[in-house]
Amino acid sequence: MRKDKHVLHFIQRIPIRWRLTFVSLGLLILLLSALGIILSVVAEQVLVNNEVNVLRNEAQVAWKGTFKSMAPQDRPFGLDLDNVFPPSGPAPANFVYTANPLLHSIDNAGTNTYAILLTPDGHSLIPNSPYIVPEQVQQIMQSAQWYLLTNDAHGHRQLFVFIPLISSSFHTVGILQISTSTIPIDNFLSAFHLTLFLGIIGTLGLALVLTFPLVGLALHPLVEIERTSRKIAQGELSMRIDPPATDDEIGRLARSFNRMLAQLEAAFRRQKRFVADVSHELRTPLTALSGSLEMLLIGADLGDKEATRRLTHGMFTEVQRMHRMVEDLLALTRLDEGKLTLRKEIITVDTLLLTVYEQSEHLAHGQKLSCDIEPALPAIGADKDRLQQVLLNIMDNALKFTLPAGKVELLARKNGQNTVVLIVRDTGQGIPPEALPHIFDRFYRADPSRSRSPQHVGGSGLGLAIAKDLVEAQGGKIEISSILGRGTTV
Ligand code: ADP
């Protein structure tokens, strides 16, 4: 168990480049060895079959030569070359004697070729000759291939070929056993094995030389990723990897890595801008506050109660503005973190809009306010307080940016079966077209100078951003359209 752990630990410490090289080389060794074994087995089989055929042909040629002067019906036996093994029958008179010339003729046909006669059941008819035990001969004769490869007493391989001798009555009268040394085949096979071995070693060497740099090339993007992530860790978020053209795992990894970087960079930039915006927004009221406090401290009001009241009222307004902003930021943070709990309930649109309408009346400074609710609206599922907050925010904007002579309408209409559209429409100053796409961005103001005018105290550019988040968190949608100088509809 511990040994296994050590081995695993050791393997894990080998660089991936080497591991991949070893794995591909290991596979190559396996494949080449399998191929080598198959090739040498097939080559040996082909050579042996070839030699068997040569010996059978030689036997046939010798038989024809020996008995060519005899009439076919006088010939003592024929050769069975059709691989049928007929039942045994009585041997002709002087069988060994008549067969002798055939045996000599075969012996003389090839070097190291030696022919003897066996009885049909495998016993040798010629004493002191190399022969196979009768049982084994019988076994071979029952099989499909009438030959045998075996070692002789000196350890040399010998090939034995058996051909039944058949009488004119189609009985086996004996078996012709031809043996020969397989030295030529063995020599060829040795040379073949050596060539194969050297070929495999050469191929492996070449594979090693090529695989290592190729694996290195394939892993290059990983090295790039590692190098880039090190630079990113030092703060260089704008860095990107040059992804390989391939659509493989590494290509996809490089591309997702780049995507992740882009998202990180955007998030980081947003975060930085957010902090900068917050500091910027807090600086104005804090400067106003410290100025007013300083004036009070140095007694710049000269004991004038009215001047003191104006100064403290200004300070109170700034504190209120900061308070509102901090509240808004807190709400946004909760929304971002998904921590803002929404209490969804079924609410009737009439009640909701009438409440908002009544509260808006206190905010109006001369504008004509109206509320129009389409009859028989379906009830809606929403967090009543949050939706009210959103509507009030939008109404507040409409009243802020509409002159006293203008008009602000609060409408509710049915849209399809189950959807209700709540509309706040004003005849105010409108929003410039170039500002419209950014109107829901945090801290965005279409006209910052006007938003900060005494009449518009409190505008921090967070109202619509919060409204959008709150509406979308409840499954709704918020849209704005506006014509400069004519009015705005949310
Ligand atoms: P603020 O607190 O500054 O009003 P908002 O997010 O509510 O922030 O609005 C962002 C900006 O959109 C405002 O500063 C203003 O320039 C513009 N805006 C919003 N509503 C209206 C409107 N009804 N008419 C004209 N401009 C508007």
Side-chain angles (χ1 to χ4, degrees):
M1 194 67 186
R2 279 189 64 167
K3 212 173 159 193
D4 284 359
K5 254 188 174 173
H6 282 310
V7 173
L8 201 72
H9 195 62
F10 174 73
I11 291 174
Q12 279 168 347
R13 279 175 52 187
I14 301 174
I16 188 165
R17 201 179 212 214
W18 279 108
R19 265 191 274 168
L20 283 177
T21 309
F22 286 149
V23 167
S24 44
L25 282 186
L27 275 177
L28 200 63
I29 291 175
L30 272 181
L31 288 176
L32 286 178
S33 309
L35 185 73
I37 291 170
I38 292 171
L39 276 180
S40 73
V41 167
V42 169
E44 181 171 358
Q45 197 63 46
V46 169
L47 288 173
V48 169
N49 281 341
N50 200 36
E51 185 64 20
V52 170
N53 285 337
V54 167
L55 291 180
R56 284 162 70 97
N57 283 341
E58 273 177 10
Q60 198 179 15
V61 170
W63 179 81
K64 277 185 182 156
T66 308
F67 300 113
K68 69 173 179 252
S69 54
M70 286 186 186
Q73 66 276 12
D74 296 337
R75 288 173 188 164
F77 52 81
L79 298 184
D80 173 13
L81 293 167
D82 301 328
N83 278 31
V84 280
F85 188 47
S88 56
N94 298 328
F95 175 48
V96 178
Y97 177 73
T98 44
N100 239 340
L102 171 69
L103 302 183
H104 281 301
S105 171
I106 294 173
D107 287 350
N108 295 333
T111 45
N112 290 325
T113 310
Y114 188 62
I116 62 164
L117 275 184
L118 306 178
T119 61
D121 53 5
H123 289 90
S124 175
L125 287 167
I126 294 168
N128 301 328
S129 50
Y131 73 100
I132 309 297
V133 284
E135 292 74 24
Q136 204 172 355
V137 175
Q138 282 163 24
Q139 246 176 34
I140 292 166
M141 295 318 289
Q142 299 309 322
S143 74
Q145 287 169 329
W146 290 344
Y147 71 81
L148 172 75
L149 265 174
T150 184
N151 284 350
D152 66 8
H154 309 291
H156 296 132
R157 284 210 310 173
Q158 290 278 325
L159 173 67
F160 289 85
V161 174
F162 303 91
I163 304 170
L165 303 176
I166 44 175
S167 64
S168 51
S169 60
F170 208 63
H171 282 98
T172 304
V173 293
I175 297 172
L176 178 65
Q177 173 194 294
I178 313 168
S179 57
T180 187
S181 144
T182 57
I183 286 174
I185 296 179
D186 292 341
N187 285 347
F188 175 84
L189 284 176
S190 302
F192 183 65
H193 289 158
L194 187 69
T195 316
L196 258 183
F197 179 73
L198 292 178
I200 289 176
I201 295 291
T203 310
L204 286 178
L206 195 71
L208 180 67
V209 170
L210 289 178
T211 311
F212 193 65
L214 280 178
V215 168
L217 205 69
L219 291 179
H220 182 69
L222 284 184
V223 180
E224 269 282 291
I225 292 178
E226 190 263 340
R227 210 175 291 154
T228 312
S229 44
R230 228 179 311 140
K231 283 192 183 150
I232 291 160
Q234 289 161 4
E236 283 188 52
L237 268 177
S238 59
M239 292 224 43
R240 295 288 178 275
I241 300 165
D242 194 12
T246 49
D247 190 29
D248 57 6
E249 288 78 0
I250 293 185
R252 284 199 293 275
L253 173 70
R255 274 184 278 274
S256 356
F257 191 76
N258 278 347
R259 266 199 301 278
M260 183 190 78
L261 277 185
Q263 278 168 5
L264 270 181
E265 195 186 8
F268 197 62
R269 212 183 296 133
R270 268 203 309 276
Q271 189 77 18
K272 263 164 85 175
R273 206 183 58 212
F274 186 73
V275 172
D277 284 345
V278 172
S279 338
H280 180 78
E281 291 302 322
L282 283 176
R283 208 169 50 190
T284 317
L286 280 175
T287 312
L289 260 180
S290 81
S292 304
L293 277 171
E294 198 180 358
M295 282 172 85
L296 281 178
L297 276 174
I298 60 171
D301 54 344
L302 300 170
D304 179 358
K305 279 201 170 160
E306 181 52 29
T308 315
R309 198 196 66 78
R310 250 187 288 121
L311 276 174
T312 43
H313 182 260
M315 281 158 56
F316 178 63
T317 313
E318 292 305 337
V319 170
Q320 263 189 323
R321 186 215 283 258
M322 284 197 291
H323 185 241
R324 226 179 354 251
M325 198 175 93
V326 170
E327 287 289 318
D328 284 353
L329 283 174
L330 218 64
L332 273 174
T333 316
R334 288 216 187 99
L335 274 167
D336 282 349
E337 289 175 354
K339 277 190 184 158
L340 197 87
T341 39
L342 294 165
R343 276 185 303 272
K344 263 195 168 186
E345 53 187 320
I346 302 297
I347 49 177
T348 47
V349 178
D350 311 40
T351 336
L352 176 78
L353 286 208
L354 286 175
T355 317
V356 173
Y357 177 77
E358 276 165 18
Q359 287 175 338
S360 305
E361 277 183 320
H362 303 296
L363 301 170
H365 44 273
Q367 298 95 332
K368 194 172 164 238
L369 264 183
S370 67
C371 180
D372 181 19
I373 302 165
E374 190 181 317
L377 283 178
I380 55 171
D383 183 319
K384 194 169 144 246
D385 291 342
R386 301 290 176 194
L387 193 55
Q388 199 169 308
Q389 180 190 347
V390 169
L391 285 170
L392 258 179
N393 227 322
I394 297 167
M395 282 299 278
D396 184 35
N397 273 348
L399 290 165
K400 265 195 304 193
F401 298 105
T402 303
L403 290 173
K407 206 167 80 179
V408 175
E409 291 170 283
L410 185 57
L411 316 166
R413 298 275 178 270
K414 207 167 148 185
N415 185 20
Q417 272 294 326
N418 297 311
T419 315
V420 174
V421 190
L422 306 175
I423 303 160
V424 175
R425 190 158 61 201
D426 66 59
T427 56
Q429 67 185 50
I431 302 166
E434 68 277 7
L436 270 181
H438 310 285
I439 217 75
F440 292 110
D441 291 354
R442 292 172 186 190
F443 295 112
Y444 185 83
R445 292 188 205 89
D447 184 353
S449 58
R450 220 180 304 185
S451 303
R452 286 231 183 84
S453 67
Q455 187 199 354
H456 299 129
V457 164
S460 61
L462 289 172
L464 283 180
I466 294 176
K468 184 172 192 281
D469 283 1
L470 277 177
V471 167
E472 285 176 357
Q474 297 180 66
K477 216 168 108 182
I478 185 164
E479 281 168 11
I480 191 163
S481 65
S482 184
I483 299 173
L484 199 58
R486 299 267 297 273
T488 305
T489 306
V490 183

